[in-house]
Amino acid sequence: MALTEKDVAGIAEYARIGLTPDELTEMTTYMNGAIGMLEPVLQYGEADVPPTFHPIGDLSNVMGTDVERPGLPIDVALEDAASTRDRYFRVPSILGGGEA
């Protein structure tokens, strides 16, 4: 099924891409060519191919379990900070108007 210029205009609008009428015609031709290159894939019988749910087969959750650990003491955490105030890291203001 070929894409129409209306289809491509809708895709461009969704992607927030402005196309001139000439670009729309060119893009429609280009996208239909790209879809045409996928035609050989459709010739394979999908009934013979088992579904793949993960690119690495039956790999499941590889994340470790969360383990609660005590944090660093404040004085150790602030040891290598460039600047501190009381018990806090000091960082430059990015909004302006405040002290660094």
Side-chain angles (χ1 to χ4, degrees):
M1 182 173 91
L3 294 173
T4 65
E5 285 192 0
K6 183 178 179 182
D7 296 329
V8 175
I11 293 168
E13 182 180 344
Y14 182 77
R16 305 284 194 255
I17 299 171
L19 296 175
T20 66
D22 289 339
E23 290 172 329
L24 181 60
T25 302
E26 183 180 343
M27 185 58 68
T28 302
T29 303
Y30 175 80
M31 290 182 77
N32 280 317
I35 291 170
M37 287 190 285
L38 296 174
E39 196 64 40
V41 174
L42 299 175
Q43 295 176 6
Y44 292 100
E46 59 191 56
D48 303 332
V49 179
T52 302
F53 297 102
H54 195 282
I56 307 179
D58 62 351
L59 183 66
S60 60
N61 186 5
V62 296
M63 305 296 283
T65 56
D66 290 338
V67 177
E68 187 176 332
R69 297 182 188 148
L72 290 174
I74 293 173
D75 56 334
V76 174
L78 295 176
E79 247 173 28
D80 293 325
S83 180
T84 62
R85 179 185 295 157
D86 301 324
R87 305 176 50 203
Y88 304 99
F89 292 96
R90 277 181 77 201
V91 295
S93 173
I94 59 170
L95 300 176
E99 66 179 83

